[in-house]
Structures are given as structure tokens and as C-alpha cells.
Amino acid sequence: MRYFLLIILSTFFCAYPLFADEASEKEKEIAAEEPPRTKYFSINPGVMIESVTVDISGRGRNATMTQEGPGKITWMLDLKSADYQITKYFGINLLLHNSNFYLDRQFVTKLPSVDSPSSTSSSGSSSGSGSSNSNPTQSNRVKDDLDTSMEGTYSMLVPIFYVGNPDTFRLGFGLGPATVRMRGNVDFQDPGTGIALALSNRGNRSEFLNNVSAIQFASGNINPSDDPTLSYLLANLGSGNNLELLGYYFASQGLLRPDLTAATAFSTGRYSAVESLALSSLFRNQVNINSNARFAFMFYIETPQFAGIRGRLSFGGPIVKENGYTYEMRTFHIAVYMPIEF
């Protein structure tokens, strides 16, 4: 009996490594069949086509900055946390998205042409034809180059709640904070400002520049906490050569562009070329934003991973309130990226 037990035990110990190897091979096959999962976070480098607009409103004014063309092709580098799958088709993650932009167009209202049917009215026309002619003049906005530009960056840290899972299409939405930096100028096309400048130009140079300073203060351009150098020069345009220094300051920021206003100021003989360009730039509001947005949102549709590549269609943006103005960014991008998972 003792020899029989020894034979059974020796047979078991000899066969055990074979069973263990077979089990480990099955586990490896199962693990190989499952797609890799993000354990901690992922870095998502890629390429995207992005369209950006900024709606600016406040102090009784409004303007919309945009870019030339449908969008800009740029690199993308997002960070994303590991997915926490609540159920099979619901989950959450944390997304850090950042980008830069350059806007050199504005949406303006297109003036009706003289021979346009909507510009004339006939007493004998029927009510039906009158209503059809009134529609084209409503919300008729076009892109135009007003010698304005705005550039900057934004970063959004958004907790995302999504429907789906990493192996399917995902529909996600989230709200979170953002950091926004913008610098440039915008033309509010305010006729009151132009009239005030034209009337004040009848006085001497010092008086005219003091009136320009007052208009800049009323427009919210003088804010020492944002840009003390710009605020000092704007508040003291009539002193010394501050107007010329302001022109050099604008030039260093890429904000000077020759236009009809600059040519008109230069033709008077009272202003140098740099001063004329500076005056032309003062017809536009200066924008200098370096702020943390309390509110930003993102809505996206993401594809499952194919050959290590994912696609994403996204809409969202931050909202910043600064110095009496509200800046609403609207970003729309199509991205293709390769997750590098850790």
C-alpha cells in the first residue's frame, strides 16, 4: 500500500508542471485577446482640424472674431485619465485638452445693395411678397478683414461622462474649468466712437489725445491689473511722446496695420507714421486676457480604437468674463490620435 501511494504521488508531481504550463498558456491567450487598457493615464498625440470663434459682448457692444477658411490643421496633445466603467455602457474619465488659435476675421452685417429687392418697397405689393423679401436682410452676416487679429491658447480640464465603453463608439459630455490667454484687438464698429474722435480732432493735439484717452477708459481698455504698460500709455497719451511709444508697443505685439484711418491721420501733418498707425489701432478695442475660466464644456463622439488609432469629433469651449466683457469661445475640431497608455 505504501509503494502504491508513492507511485501515485510521484505521478502527480511529474504531471503538475505540464498542467501548470497549459493553464498559463491559456491565460496568456486570453490576455492577448483582450485589448490593452489604460491603467493610470494616456497621452494622446495626434492631428486635428479646428475651427474657433470668439463672441465678445459687453458695455452695449458685441463682435464675433473668427478665422479665415473653415479651420486650421494643427498638432494635438491631450491627456486622459483611465476610464472608470460604472456599468457596461456608462463610464467617466478626466480629459485635459489644449490648443492655440489665430483669428484674423470678424463676422459683420452685410449691407444690402442698392438694387436689392429688399431695399425698395412697393405699395402695390401683396403681403405675401413683402414677407418673402424681408427674410434675406435678417442675420445676413459675412466674414470680413477689418485689420483686427487675435491669438492665444486655451486649456480645458473636463470630467467626462460617456455612454459606451472603450470597445465601442462613445458619446461624452463634460463641464470643468479652463485657462484662457488671448491677445489682440477687435473692432466693435461703434459709430459713436468714430464720431467722438472726429469731433474731438477739431481741437489741438493735446486736447485730442486727452479725449482719445477718455474714450479708451470708457471702452474698458485701461486696466492696470491686466497690462500696466498699455494702461499707462493710454491714460497719458497727451504727455510727451507717449503716443509714439504706444505705437512701438503695438508694433512689438503685432497690432499695427496700415489702413485708411492711419493714412488720414498722417495726411494732417500733425502725426508721424508710427503715431498715425497707433491712432488707427485705437479705433479698435485692445484685448489682453490671461484668466481662469470657471466654466468650460465639451461634447464629443469618439470612435473605437482601430490599428492603434482613435478618432474624435468635438464641440465646446470656455467662457471668460473680464473687465466688463464676456468672451465665449466656440471650438469645433475633428481629431485623429494614437493613445499611448500607461
Side-chain angles (χ1 to χ4, degrees):
M1 184 68 180
R2 182 170 55 185
Y3 292 106
F4 180 73
L5 290 176
L6 288 173
I7 293 172
I8 293 176
L9 290 175
S10 61
T11 304
F12 174 77
F13 284 116
C14 291
Y16 177 77
L18 298 176
F19 289 112
D21 291 341
E22 185 179 353
S24 62
E25 288 179 0
K26 289 183 178 179
E27 291 177 358
K28 289 179 180 179
E29 291 177 0
I30 295 173
E33 292 176 358
E34 293 183 356
R37 302 296 187 193
T38 303
K39 188 175 182 180
Y40 301 107
F41 66 94
S42 65
I43 302 175
N44 305 306
V47 179
M48 67 178 178
I49 302 176
E50 184 175 39
S51 175
V52 180
T53 60
V54 179
D55 292 326
I56 308 171
S57 61
R59 299 177 182 267
R61 303 172 172 184
N62 62 81
T64 301
M65 295 290 298
T66 185
Q67 60 198 77
E68 184 179 9
K72 180 185 69 171
I73 301 177
T74 183
W75 297 106
M76 186 187 79
L77 184 63
D78 286 359
L79 295 177
K80 189 173 69 173
S81 71
D83 299 319
Y84 178 72
Q85 206 69 29
I86 301 174
T87 65
K88 185 178 180 180
Y89 292 108
F90 294 95
I92 56 175
N93 57 39
L94 186 64
L95 177 65
L96 174 62
H97 173 69
N98 57 82
S99 182
N100 58 76
F101 56 90
Y102 178 77
L103 314 177
D104 57 353
R105 295 291 187 273
Q106 282 192 228
F107 277 113
V108 296
T109 302
K110 184 178 181 181
L111 297 176
S113 59
V114 177
D115 22 329
S116 173
S118 61
S119 61
T120 59
S121 61
S122 174
S123 59
S125 60
S126 63
S127 59
S129 61
S131 60
S132 63
N133 287 337
S134 62
N135 290 332
T137 61
Q138 298 177 359
S139 302
N140 192 3
R141 306 176 74 203
V142 295
K143 289 183 182 180
D144 197 6
D145 187 359
L146 304 183
D147 292 324
T148 56
S149 63
M150 188 179 299
E151 60 181 349
T153 61
Y154 70 90
S155 299
M156 300 190 301
L157 183 64
V158 185
I160 298 291
F161 173 79
Y162 60 83
V163 179
N165 60 59
D167 300 326
T168 66
F169 280 89
R170 287 194 286 187
L171 181 66
F173 176 77
L175 303 172
T179 299
V180 179
R181 293 179 176 85
M182 287 189 290
R183 193 176 188 88
N185 51 25
V186 59
D187 188 350
F188 284 108
Q189 295 185 302
D190 185 358
T193 302
I195 293 173
L197 288 172
L199 292 176
S200 62
N201 198 20
R202 295 179 180 179
N204 57 36
R205 172 188 168 98
S206 179
E207 182 180 348
F208 168 67
L209 293 179
N210 289 334
N211 289 335
V212 173
S213 294
I215 293 173
Q216 293 297 312
F217 181 81
S219 300
N221 287 335
I222 300 178
N223 189 356
S225 61
D226 288 340
D227 192 332
T229 302
L230 176 62
S231 298
Y232 173 79
L233 293 175
L234 288 177
N236 300 277
L237 283 178
S239 302
N241 64 335
N242 284 342
L243 180 59
E244 182 180 3
L245 293 176
L246 180 65
Y248 290 128
Y249 182 77
F250 282 159
S252 68
Q253 306 299 322
L255 300 178
L256 288 188
R257 289 187 180 183
D259 58 9
L260 183 59
T261 303
T264 302
F266 183 72
S267 66
T268 63
R270 292 191 294 174
Y271 307 100
S272 67
V274 175
E275 291 174 335
S276 300
L277 291 170
L279 284 175
S280 173
S281 183
L282 289 178
F283 271 94
R284 315 175 191 102
N285 266 48
Q286 307 305 312
V287 176
N288 187 12
I289 303 295
N290 187 358
S291 178
N292 294 323
R294 297 181 179 178
F295 176 83
F297 75 96
M298 176 177 282
F299 174 85
Y300 73 73
I301 299 175
E302 187 179 57
T303 67
Q305 191 164 320
F306 177 76
I309 302 294
R310 287 187 184 274
R312 187 173 71 204
L313 177 67
S314 172
F315 173 76
I319 298 177
V320 178
K321 293 186 177 182
E322 187 80 14
N323 199 24
Y325 291 96
T326 300
Y327 301 83
E328 297 186 18
M329 295 188 62
R330 294 293 177 263
T331 67
F332 177 85
H333 75 248
I334 302 174
V336 178
Y337 61 94
M338 176 180 293
I340 301 175
E341 301 172 323
F342 297 91

